Each structure stands twice: as C-alpha cells, then as structure tokens.
Amino acid sequence: EGDNPESEPLILSGDRSEYPLGLYLELLEDPGGELTIEDVTSPEYETRFTPCQEEVPNFGGTYSTYWVRLRLRNENPAAERWLLESSFASLHFVDLFSPLADGDGFAVKQTGAMRPLSSRDIDHPNIVFDLTIPSQSEQTYYLRIQTGDSMTLPFTLWTPDAFDTNSLRDQAIHWIFLGIMGSLLIYNLFLLFSLGDESYLYLVLLLAGMTLYDLSHSSYLEVYIAPNLYQLKQHTIVFSIGFIFMPLILFNESFLSVKTLFPKMHRVNVALLVIWVVLTLSTFFATYNDLVMVIPPAAVVTMVLNGLIVFMAWRRGFRTTRFLVLAWAVLI
C-alpha cells in the first residue's frame, strides 16, 4: 500500500468503437463505506488505488464498497460523446463522479439497480453513463460502487453507434430466450390442466421461477415491465431462486417416486425443502448480503443431490429418466 504505480490513461483514438476497461481501472476497497470523493481524490489516497490486473474484476459477495478510478485521454477528433456501460445489471448503487469544467470539484450522478429508472442517463437494463470527453483532453472519473450482489465490474466504453448495435443484438437474443421460457410455461400449463399430473405443476413453478429470476437479475423487470418495483429487486431475486429449487425438489420427488424408491434421499429432500422455505422467507428479515452468502452453497448441494437421485433412478432401469438426465445436464 502506498507503492502501487499509477496505471496509464486509456487512449481513445482511431476507429476503435469499444474499449473493455478492466485492465485500465484502478481500484480502492473501502471496507466501511465511509470514504468520500474528497477523501479518495486527496494526496493521501493518490497512491492507494491498485491497477487492475483482470479484464473483468470480480470480488464475489462482499460488504465492502469499491472505488474505481478511470483515466481517459481522448485523441479521437470525431468522437466527444462516449457511453460507459456496466454489463452486470445488478450493481445496487453506482455513483459516477465527473470532473467539472473548471477543474474545481466533481459532478455526481447516482444510479444503480436499487434506484429509480429516472436516475439513469439511458433507459437500459444495464447501467450506462453518458460521458462528454472533449477531443485532445484527459479526464479522470471516479465510481463509487456498493452492492449486495456479486461485486463484478465488467465496464466497457462505447461510441454511441457501437453501443446501439451491440445492445440491439444482445437484447434480441435475450427476448428470444424469454419467449422460449414463456412458451414452455404456457405449454406445461396446458399439460397440467389437460392431464392433471402434479409433476406439471412443479414444472410450471420451476419455469416461472427461472423466468422471474432472469427478468429481475438482468433488470428487464424494472426497466421494461414494472419500473416501480426496483426497490423490491432483492426480494424478487430471492423469491425466484426459492421457486426454482423448491419445485425442482418436488418434481423429482413426484416423477421418480423418491419416497418409495430412495427413502433416505427422501428425508434429505425434506430437509432441503425446509431450508429453502426458510431462505425464501428470510428475505423479509435478513439482509440481501447475508442471503447471497448462503444461497449459492445451498443451490449447489440441492443440484448435486437431486442429480444423484436422477442418476440412481436411471441405473435402476427407469428408461424415461435418460431424458431427465439430459435435462439435468443442460440445466446444470
């Protein structure tokens, strides 16, 4: 600490339209979340920023706040407007500090997944800042990032045309995926009402949970469907995860007659169901940061044990489970 070399500024020049920024970022961990822009721009903290060594910095679940310093020098005479995008949509609170024209202080823009859509420069599921960098000038920007989700920082700098092209392609693919999920949901609802088999009820709940999780984690829910629900994001994510794994366990129990064939594994599944009910309801009284520390291990254990049940049933000669094995492999 105190001896870290400063990273070189990113040179914006030529015809290049996108710049992944990971290797150009300088990072400062703020465990207490108490530092201000005056603190981090003071001489005391000038050398405490660490140049990033990864294209996409990822610190996993953390209670720390992170400060990001980004130096940009625009030598492109044809482009003064740039878009700074974080492709990880679930960063809860992201503040951008831009230098004022007179060089005396910073202007701040506060946005993020847990702030209203009106706080964003662009109505987009990802967090996007609109920057003006005059040609033949150098600017230093600071980002303050606090989140209960994974501290993943995949930043890219785009020209507006390149951003539009990339965004249209990505969103087209995403909407196709959501359309497939919706079609599967409707199809299984039809089978549920036609056949009355409870297994299809669990499939419907599983598909609904997966769709809700994707909509919420990608911020499509808050941007395109229900903008006023942004404050419920942490609850919808936890609920959707619960409604992935609880129906998944119940489907295996029903489809494979686990209680009869594998009584020991049945008791394990009952314990897992209780754990998932508690985790799902905990969203009302536990912090999101705490839950994201517990949910991934619970998800891995649930997937592995229920995948083992499917494999055991297959080895016992249940021919139809070979399709279920394939489905499990795809899901994992």
Side-chain angles (χ1 to χ4, degrees), residues 255-308:
F255 187 74
L256 300 175
S257 302
V258 175
K259 185 176 182 179
T260 302
L261 297 176
F262 312 108
K264 291 184 179 179
M265 297 302 289
H266 167 70
R267 289 193 287 272
V268 173
N269 268 345
V270 170
L272 287 173
L273 273 174
V274 172
I275 290 172
W276 279 110
V277 169
V278 171
L279 286 175
T280 304
L281 295 179
S282 294
T283 186
F284 294 110
F285 52 85
T287 67
Y288 187 76
N289 302 64
D290 292 334
L291 290 175
V292 297
M293 300 291 188
V294 179
I295 286 176
V300 171
V301 171
T302 302
M303 294 287 283
V304 170
L305 290 179
N306 277 270
L308 179 62

Coordinates of all heavy atoms in Angstrom, one line a residue, residues 255-308:
F255 N -42.0 -37.3 -9.8 CA -41.7 -38.0 -11.0 C -41.0 -39.3 -10.8 O -41.2 -40.3 -11.5 CB -40.9 -37.1 -12.0 CG -40.7 -37.7 -13.3 CD1 -41.7 -37.7 -14.2 CD2 -39.5 -38.2 -13.7 CE1 -41.6 -38.2 -15.5 CE2 -39.3 -38.7 -15.0 CZ -40.3 -38.7 -15.9
L256 N -40.1 -39.4 -9.8 CA -39.2 -40.6 -9.6 C -39.7 -41.4 -8.3 O -39.0 -42.3 -8.0 CB -37.8 -40.1 -9.4 CG -37.2 -39.4 -10.6 CD1 -35.8 -38.9 -10.2 CD2 -37.1 -40.3 -11.8
S257 N -40.8 -41.0 -7.7 CA -41.3 -41.7 -6.5 C -40.2 -41.9 -5.5 O -39.9 -43.0 -5.0 CB -41.9 -43.1 -7.0 OG -42.9 -42.9 -7.9
V258 N -39.5 -40.8 -5.2 CA -38.3 -40.9 -4.3 C -38.7 -41.5 -3.0 O -37.9 -42.3 -2.4 CB -37.7 -39.5 -4.2 CG1 -36.5 -39.5 -3.2 CG2 -37.2 -39.0 -5.6
K259 N -39.8 -41.1 -2.4 CA -40.2 -41.6 -1.1 C -40.2 -43.1 -1.0 O -39.8 -43.7 0.0 CB -41.5 -41.0 -0.7 CG -41.9 -41.3 0.8 CD -43.2 -40.7 1.1 CE -43.6 -41.0 2.6 NZ -44.9 -40.3 3.0
T260 N -40.7 -43.7 -2.1 CA -40.8 -45.2 -2.1 C -39.5 -45.9 -2.5 O -39.0 -46.9 -1.9 CB -41.9 -45.6 -3.1 OG1 -43.1 -45.0 -2.8 CG2 -42.0 -47.1 -3.2
L261 N -38.8 -45.3 -3.5 CA -37.6 -46.0 -4.0 C -36.3 -45.7 -3.2 O -35.4 -46.5 -3.1 CB -37.4 -45.6 -5.5 CG -38.5 -46.0 -6.5 CD1 -38.2 -45.5 -7.8 CD2 -38.6 -47.6 -6.5
F262 N -36.2 -44.4 -2.8 CA -35.0 -44.0 -2.1 C -35.4 -43.2 -0.8 O -35.3 -42.0 -0.7 CB -34.2 -43.0 -3.0 CG -34.0 -43.6 -4.4 CD1 -34.6 -43.0 -5.4 CD2 -33.1 -44.6 -4.6 CE1 -34.4 -43.5 -6.7 CE2 -32.9 -45.1 -5.9 CZ -33.6 -44.5 -7.0
P263 N -35.8 -44.0 0.2 CA -36.3 -43.3 1.4 C -35.3 -42.4 2.1 O -35.7 -41.4 2.7 CB -36.8 -44.5 2.3 CG -36.1 -45.7 1.7 CD -35.9 -45.4 0.3
K264 N -34.0 -42.8 2.1 CA -33.0 -42.0 2.8 C -32.9 -40.6 2.0 O -32.8 -39.6 2.6 CB -31.7 -42.7 2.8 CG -31.7 -43.9 3.8 CD -30.3 -44.5 3.8 CE -30.2 -45.7 4.8 NZ -28.9 -46.3 4.8
M265 N -32.9 -40.7 0.7 CA -32.8 -39.5 -0.1 C -34.0 -38.6 0.1 O -34.0 -37.4 0.0 CB -32.5 -39.8 -1.6 CG -31.2 -40.5 -1.8 SD -29.7 -39.6 -1.2 CE -29.7 -38.3 -2.4
H266 N -35.2 -39.3 0.3 CA -36.4 -38.6 0.5 C -36.3 -37.7 1.8 O -36.7 -36.5 1.8 CB -37.6 -39.5 0.6 CG -38.8 -38.9 1.2 ND1 -39.6 -38.0 0.5 CD2 -39.4 -39.0 2.4 CE1 -40.6 -37.6 1.2 NE2 -40.5 -38.2 2.4
R267 N -35.7 -38.3 2.8 CA -35.5 -37.5 4.0 C -34.6 -36.3 3.8 O -34.8 -35.2 4.4 CB -35.0 -38.4 5.2 CG -36.1 -39.4 5.6 CD -35.7 -40.1 6.9 NE -34.6 -41.0 6.7 CZ -34.8 -42.3 6.4 NH1 -36.1 -42.8 6.3 NH2 -33.8 -43.1 6.3
V268 N -33.6 -36.5 3.0 CA -32.7 -35.4 2.7 C -33.4 -34.3 2.0 O -33.2 -33.1 2.2 CB -31.5 -35.9 1.9 CG1 -30.6 -34.8 1.4 CG2 -30.6 -36.9 2.7
N269 N -34.3 -34.7 1.0 CA -35.0 -33.7 0.2 C -36.0 -33.0 1.1 O -36.2 -31.8 0.9 CB -35.8 -34.4 -0.9 CG -35.0 -34.4 -2.2 OD1 -34.0 -33.7 -2.3 ND2 -35.4 -35.3 -3.1
V270 N -36.6 -33.6 2.1 CA -37.5 -32.9 3.0 C -36.7 -31.8 3.8 O -37.1 -30.7 4.0 CB -38.1 -33.9 4.0 CG1 -38.8 -33.2 5.1 CG2 -39.1 -34.8 3.3
A271 N -35.5 -32.2 4.2 CA -34.6 -31.2 4.9 C -34.3 -30.1 4.0 O -34.3 -28.9 4.4 CB -33.4 -31.9 5.5
L272 N -33.9 -30.4 2.7 CA -33.6 -29.3 1.8 C -34.8 -28.4 1.5 O -34.7 -27.2 1.4 CB -33.1 -29.9 0.5 CG -31.7 -30.6 0.5 CD1 -31.5 -31.3 -0.9 CD2 -30.7 -29.5 0.7
L273 N -36.0 -29.0 1.5 CA -37.2 -28.2 1.3 C -37.4 -27.2 2.4 O -37.7 -26.0 2.2 CB -38.4 -29.1 1.2 CG -38.8 -29.6 -0.2 CD1 -40.0 -30.6 -0.1 CD2 -39.1 -28.4 -1.2
V274 N -37.2 -27.7 3.7 CA -37.3 -26.8 4.8 C -36.3 -25.7 4.7 O -36.6 -24.5 5.0 CB -37.1 -27.6 6.1 CG1 -37.0 -26.7 7.3 CG2 -38.2 -28.6 6.3
I275 N -35.0 -26.0 4.3 CA -34.0 -25.0 4.2 C -34.4 -23.9 3.2 O -34.3 -22.7 3.4 CB -32.7 -25.6 3.8 CG1 -32.1 -26.4 5.0 CG2 -31.6 -24.6 3.4 CD1 -30.9 -27.3 4.6
W276 N -35.0 -24.4 2.1 CA -35.3 -23.4 1.0 C -36.5 -22.6 1.4 O -36.6 -21.4 1.1 CB -35.6 -24.1 -0.3 CG -34.3 -24.4 -1.0 CD1 -33.8 -25.7 -1.2 CD2 -33.4 -23.5 -1.6 NE1 -32.6 -25.5 -1.9 CE2 -32.4 -24.2 -2.2 CE3 -33.4 -22.1 -1.8 CZ2 -31.3 -23.6 -2.8 CZ3 -32.4 -21.5 -2.4 CH2 -31.3 -22.2 -2.9
V277 N -37.5 -23.1 2.2 CA -38.6 -22.3 2.7 C -38.1 -21.2 3.6 O -38.5 -20.1 3.5 CB -39.6 -23.2 3.4 CG1 -40.6 -22.4 4.1 CG2 -40.3 -24.1 2.4
V278 N -37.1 -21.6 4.5 CA -36.6 -20.6 5.4 C -35.8 -19.5 4.7 O -36.0 -18.3 5.0 CB -35.7 -21.3 6.4 CG1 -34.9 -20.3 7.3 CG2 -36.5 -22.2 7.3
L279 N -35.0 -19.9 3.7 CA -34.2 -19.0 2.9 C -35.1 -18.0 2.2 O -34.9 -16.8 2.1 CB -33.3 -19.7 2.0 CG -32.1 -20.4 2.6 CD1 -31.3 -21.1 1.5 CD2 -31.1 -19.3 3.2
T280 N -36.2 -18.6 1.6 CA -37.1 -17.7 0.8 C -37.8 -16.7 1.7 O -38.0 -15.5 1.3 CB -38.1 -18.6 0.1 OG1 -37.4 -19.5 -0.8 CG2 -39.0 -17.8 -0.8
L281 N -38.3 -17.2 2.8 CA -39.0 -16.3 3.8 C -38.0 -15.3 4.5 O -38.5 -14.2 4.9 CB -39.8 -17.1 4.8 CG -40.9 -17.9 4.3 CD1 -41.6 -18.7 5.4 CD2 -41.9 -17.1 3.5
S282 N -36.7 -15.7 4.5 CA -35.8 -14.8 5.2 C -35.6 -13.5 4.5 O -35.0 -12.5 5.1 CB -34.4 -15.5 5.3 OG -34.5 -16.7 6.1
T283 N -36.0 -13.3 3.3 CA -35.9 -12.1 2.6 C -36.6 -10.9 3.3 O -36.2 -9.8 3.0 CB -36.4 -12.2 1.1 OG1 -36.1 -11.0 0.4 CG2 -37.9 -12.4 1.1
F284 N -37.5 -11.3 4.2 CA -38.3 -10.2 4.9 C -37.5 -9.7 6.1 O -37.9 -8.7 6.6 CB -39.7 -10.8 5.3 CG -40.6 -11.0 4.1 CD1 -40.9 -12.3 3.8 CD2 -41.1 -10.0 3.4 CE1 -41.7 -12.6 2.7 CE2 -41.9 -10.2 2.3 CZ -42.2 -11.6 2.0
F285 N -36.6 -10.5 6.6 CA -35.9 -10.1 7.8 C -34.4 -10.2 7.8 O -33.7 -9.7 8.7 CB -36.4 -10.8 9.1 CG -36.4 -12.3 9.0 CD1 -35.3 -13.0 9.3 CD2 -37.5 -13.0 8.5 CE1 -35.3 -14.4 9.1 CE2 -37.5 -14.4 8.4 CZ -36.4 -15.1 8.7
A286 N -33.8 -10.8 6.8 CA -32.3 -10.9 6.7 C -31.9 -10.0 5.6 O -32.7 -9.6 4.7 CB -31.9 -12.3 6.4
T287 N -30.6 -9.5 5.6 CA -30.1 -8.7 4.6 C -29.8 -9.5 3.3 O -29.5 -10.6 3.4 CB -28.8 -7.9 5.0 OG1 -27.8 -8.9 5.2 CG2 -29.1 -7.2 6.4
Y288 N -29.9 -8.8 2.2 CA -29.6 -9.4 0.9 C -28.1 -9.9 0.9 O -27.8 -11.0 0.4 CB -29.8 -8.4 -0.2 CG -29.7 -9.0 -1.6 CD1 -30.8 -9.8 -2.1 CD2 -28.6 -8.8 -2.4 CE1 -30.6 -10.4 -3.4 CE2 -28.5 -9.4 -3.6 CZ -29.5 -10.1 -4.1 OH -29.4 -10.7 -5.4
N289 N -27.2 -9.1 1.5 CA -25.8 -9.5 1.5 C -25.6 -10.9 2.2 O -24.9 -11.7 1.8 CB -25.0 -8.5 2.2 CG -25.1 -7.1 1.6 OD1 -26.2 -6.5 1.6 ND2 -24.0 -6.6 1.1
D290 N -26.4 -11.0 3.4 CA -26.3 -12.3 4.1 C -26.8 -13.5 3.3 O -26.2 -14.6 3.2 CB -27.0 -12.2 5.4 CG -26.4 -11.3 6.4 OD1 -25.1 -11.0 6.3 OD2 -27.1 -10.7 7.3
L291 N -27.9 -13.3 2.6 CA -28.6 -14.3 1.9 C -27.7 -14.8 0.7 O -27.7 -16.0 0.4 CB -30.0 -13.9 1.4 CG -31.0 -13.8 2.5 CD1 -32.3 -13.2 1.9 CD2 -31.3 -15.1 3.2
V292 N -27.1 -13.8 0.0 CA -26.3 -14.3 -1.2 C -25.0 -15.0 -0.7 O -24.4 -15.6 -1.6 CB -25.9 -13.1 -2.1 CG1 -27.1 -12.4 -2.7 CG2 -25.1 -12.0 -1.3
M293 N -24.7 -15.0 0.5 CA -23.6 -15.8 1.0 C -24.0 -17.2 1.3 O -23.2 -18.2 1.2 CB -23.0 -15.2 2.3 CG -22.5 -13.8 2.2 SD -21.0 -13.7 1.3 CE -20.5 -12.0 1.6
V294 N -25.3 -17.4 1.5 CA -25.8 -18.8 1.9 C -26.5 -19.5 0.7 O -26.3 -20.7 0.6 CB -26.9 -18.6 3.1 CG1 -27.4 -20.0 3.5 CG2 -26.2 -17.9 4.3
I295 N -27.1 -18.7 -0.1 CA -27.9 -19.4 -1.2 C -27.0 -20.2 -2.2 O -27.4 -21.3 -2.5 CB -28.7 -18.3 -2.0 CG1 -29.9 -17.9 -1.1 CG2 -29.2 -18.8 -3.3 CD1 -30.8 -16.8 -1.6
P296 N -25.9 -19.7 -2.7 CA -25.1 -20.5 -3.6 C -24.7 -21.9 -3.1 O -24.9 -22.9 -3.8 CB -23.9 -19.6 -3.9 CG -24.4 -18.2 -3.7 CD -25.3 -18.3 -2.5
P297 N -24.2 -22.0 -1.9 CA -23.9 -23.4 -1.4 C -25.1 -24.2 -1.3 O -25.1 -25.4 -1.6 CB -23.3 -23.1 0.0 CG -22.8 -21.7 0.0 CD -23.7 -21.0 -0.9
A298 N -26.3 -23.7 -0.8 CA -27.5 -24.4 -0.8 C -27.9 -24.9 -2.2 O -28.4 -26.0 -2.3 CB -28.6 -23.6 -0.1
A299 N -27.7 -24.0 -3.2 CA -28.1 -24.4 -4.5 C -27.2 -25.5 -5.1 O -27.7 -26.5 -5.7 CB -28.0 -23.2 -5.4
V300 N -25.9 -25.4 -4.8 CA -25.0 -26.5 -5.3 C -25.4 -27.8 -4.6 O -25.5 -28.9 -5.3 CB -23.6 -26.1 -5.0 CG1 -22.6 -27.3 -5.2 CG2 -23.1 -24.9 -5.8
V301 N -25.6 -27.9 -3.3 CA -26.0 -29.1 -2.6 C -27.3 -29.7 -3.2 O -27.4 -30.9 -3.5 CB -26.1 -28.9 -1.1 CG1 -26.7 -30.1 -0.4 CG2 -24.7 -28.5 -0.5
T302 N -28.3 -28.8 -3.4 CA -29.5 -29.3 -4.0 C -29.4 -29.9 -5.3 O -29.9 -30.9 -5.7 CB -30.6 -28.1 -4.0 OG1 -30.7 -27.6 -2.7 CG2 -31.9 -28.6 -4.5
M303 N -28.6 -29.2 -6.2 CA -28.4 -29.7 -7.6 C -27.7 -31.0 -7.6 O -28.1 -31.9 -8.3 CB -27.7 -28.6 -8.4 CG -28.4 -27.3 -8.6 SD -29.7 -27.5 -9.8 CE -28.8 -27.5 -11.3
V304 N -26.6 -31.1 -6.8 CA -25.8 -32.3 -6.8 C -26.6 -33.5 -6.3 O -26.7 -34.6 -6.9 CB -24.6 -32.1 -6.0 CG1 -23.8 -33.5 -5.7 CG2 -23.6 -31.1 -6.6
L305 N -27.3 -33.4 -5.1 CA -28.1 -34.5 -4.5 C -29.2 -34.9 -5.4 O -29.5 -36.1 -5.6 CB -28.5 -34.1 -3.1 CG -27.4 -33.9 -2.1 CD1 -28.0 -33.5 -0.7 CD2 -26.7 -35.2 -1.9
N306 N -29.9 -34.0 -6.0 CA -31.1 -34.3 -6.8 C -30.6 -34.9 -8.2 O -31.3 -35.7 -8.8 CB -32.0 -33.2 -7.0 CG -33.0 -33.1 -5.8 OD1 -34.1 -33.7 -5.8 ND2 -32.6 -32.4 -4.8
G307 N -29.5 -34.4 -8.6 CA -28.9 -35.0 -9.8 C -28.5 -36.4 -9.6 O -28.6 -37.3 -10.4
L308 N -28.0 -36.7 -8.4 CA -27.6 -38.1 -8.0 C -28.9 -39.0 -7.9 O -28.8 -40.1 -8.3 CB -26.9 -38.0 -6.6 CG -26.5 -39.4 -6.0 CD1 -25.5 -40.1 -6.9 CD2 -25.9 -39.2 -4.6

